[in-house]
Amino acid sequence: MAVFVKDLIDNVRVSSAYSTEILLEKEITTSDITRPGLEMTGYFDYYAPERIQLMGMKEWSYLMAMTSHNRYQVLRRMFQPETPVVIVARGLEIPEEMFQAAEEKGIAIFQSQSATSRLAGELSSYLDSRLAKRTSVHGVLMDIYGMGVLIQGDSGIGKSETGLELVKRGHRIVADDRVDVYAKDDVTLWGEPAEILRHLLEIRGVGIIDIMSLYGASAVKESSEVQLAIYLENYDTGKVFDRLGNSGDSIEIAGITIPQIRIPVKTGRNISVVIEAAAMNYRSKQMGFDATKEFEKRLGSLIESNKE
């Protein structure tokens, strides 16, 4: 997903100090951010000009201690055509030499009142999510009790109908049919809808419905972490399904492993209620209470008492 310099103004706490329409259309290609310290001393051996250059109090103080000529020369060398933008944090005054170098080299300058470390975190979080490689998976992503649940299964098994029933029960839908997922960091999987399918859900025999129009803004969510996967499959007496909840199944999506629960579907089963229970039970396990272990503990106690 392409990110341009102008996108930072709407999504991060920065404002333009110097820019043009052309400079605002520059594309940002990496989420890495550089705080140019050694570069100000003249060391450019490992300089990465394609990164956003962020200046805080330390960089600004060193820069302001230079003579006007040296300051201008360092900034001219630092500002390269591939540099997307230079950001000065803490509301620090931008020296005239920086404006001159930016105009000469065609670099936008942004300013922010935020602390440098906090601003760096905001920039990294925003750019990581926008520039991360997307993977599309088939399914329905729901927000159930604040937890992202990915419902998958064979075509026609009833995933969308289950999603609609969950919406009616007060939960929120994130995406139907196609879910775009990406690794937000090394352990977090995030999901969002394809733009063309946002807030839409397809029900066989009814067609495409707009969840937001029918059920209101509280029935939809723009994106969600994916914490649990539910796989719906037709009930078959020959298949073995987990009855104690200790199978430990999991799937890997975009390099992130998440737990998976297989749920058999047959006439008479209220799948939406079962999925609600599965989500609550998973949350309970995360909080330290495991009903399976409690059952095994009781079973062990019963066996010991019968021996006596």
Side-chain angles (χ1 to χ4, degrees):
M1 186 179 294
V3 181
F4 302 97
V5 170
K6 63 182 180 181
D7 295 330
L8 298 181
I9 297 175
D10 297 327
N11 296 279
V12 186
R13 288 178 291 178
V14 296
S15 59
S16 174
Y18 168 75
S19 63
T20 65
E21 287 296 325
I22 294 176
L23 298 182
L24 291 176
E25 292 294 336
K26 264 191 175 181
E27 186 175 354
I28 299 172
T29 58
T30 177
S31 60
D32 293 329
I33 297 168
T34 292
R35 293 187 63 177
L38 285 174
E39 290 78 8
M40 292 186 179
T41 68
Y43 185 79
F44 282 86
D45 286 5
Y46 295 96
Y47 181 55
E50 72 280 2
R51 298 179 181 180
I52 291 176
Q53 306 298 316
L54 176 61
M55 297 189 184
M57 180 61 77
K58 286 190 293 184
E59 295 82 9
W60 182 86
S61 298
Y62 189 89
L63 195 66
M64 298 306 291
M66 298 179 181
T67 64
S68 176
H69 174 75
N70 288 344
R71 185 158 54 237
Y72 178 60
Q73 293 302 319
V74 165
L75 290 172
R76 283 186 73 254
R77 192 174 178 188
M78 189 184 304
F79 293 0
Q80 298 296 320
E82 59 267 43
T83 304
V85 62
V86 175
I87 303 177
V88 179
R90 292 185 174 273
L92 297 169
E93 181 182 357
I94 300 172
E96 185 61 32
E97 295 83 4
M98 184 178 290
F99 285 115
Q100 293 174 5
E103 184 176 359
E104 180 183 334
K105 293 299 187 75
I107 309 295
I109 301 176
F110 284 176
Q111 197 168 28
S112 175
Q113 300 298 320
S114 299
T116 316
S117 298
R118 186 173 301 162
L119 180 60
E122 289 181 16
L123 285 166
S124 294
S125 178
Y126 171 68
L127 294 174
D128 281 341
S129 64
R130 288 292 300 272
L131 295 175
K133 183 180 178 182
R134 261 65 174 172
T135 301
S136 293
V137 297
H138 185 62
V140 179
L141 180 57
M142 299 291 304
D143 179 276
I144 302 175
Y145 299 122
M147 183 168 61
V149 179
L150 177 63
I151 304 172
Q152 296 181 294
D154 298 333
S155 180
I157 197 73
K159 300 181 292 295
S160 296
E161 290 81 356
T162 300
L164 180 60
E165 177 66 22
L166 287 165
V167 166
K168 291 183 65 178
R169 294 178 65 84
H171 305 292
R172 295 187 288 177
I173 187 168
V174 180
D176 175 52
D177 191 47
R178 172 184 150 187
V179 184
D180 290 345
V181 296
Y182 60 93
K184 194 171 185 179
D185 52 44
D186 292 340
V187 296
T188 306
L189 185 67
W190 208 261
E192 60 189 15
E195 191 59 38
I196 194 173
L197 300 174
R198 189 176 299 276
H199 305 158
L200 302 181
L201 188 138
E202 179 201 354
I203 302 294
R204 283 178 172 82
V206 176
I208 296 175
I209 62 175
D210 189 321
I211 294 296
M212 188 167 182
S213 296
L214 294 180
Y215 297 96
S218 62
V220 299
K221 190 176 182 183
E222 297 303 308
S223 63
S224 172
E225 181 181 352
V226 185
Q227 297 162 275
L228 176 67
I230 302 285
Y231 192 88
L232 306 179
E233 55 185 307
N234 286 311
Y235 179 81
D236 188 332
T237 54
K239 292 181 180 179
V240 177
F241 293 97
D242 185 18
R243 301 189 65 176
L244 293 178
N246 55 6
S247 65
D249 290 343
S250 62
I251 59 171
E252 183 178 304
I253 304 175
I256 305 295
T257 301
I258 60 172
Q260 183 189 60
I261 300 173
R262 294 165 54 236
I263 295 179
V265 176
K266 69 175 183 177
T267 304
R269 295 198 89 192
N270 191 327
I271 300 302
S272 59
V273 173
V274 175
I275 291 176
E276 275 185 340
M280 287 190 291
N281 189 54
Y282 175 75
R283 174 62 59 81
S284 178
K285 287 182 178 180
Q286 296 297 103
M287 297 176 67
F289 180 79
D290 190 333
T292 301
K293 291 182 179 179
E294 180 65 22
F295 170 75
E296 291 174 346
K297 180 180 177 181
R298 293 180 186 180
L299 181 61
S301 298
L302 179 61
I303 292 173
E304 288 298 320
S305 63
N306 287 338
K307 285 182 179 179
E308 296 174 1

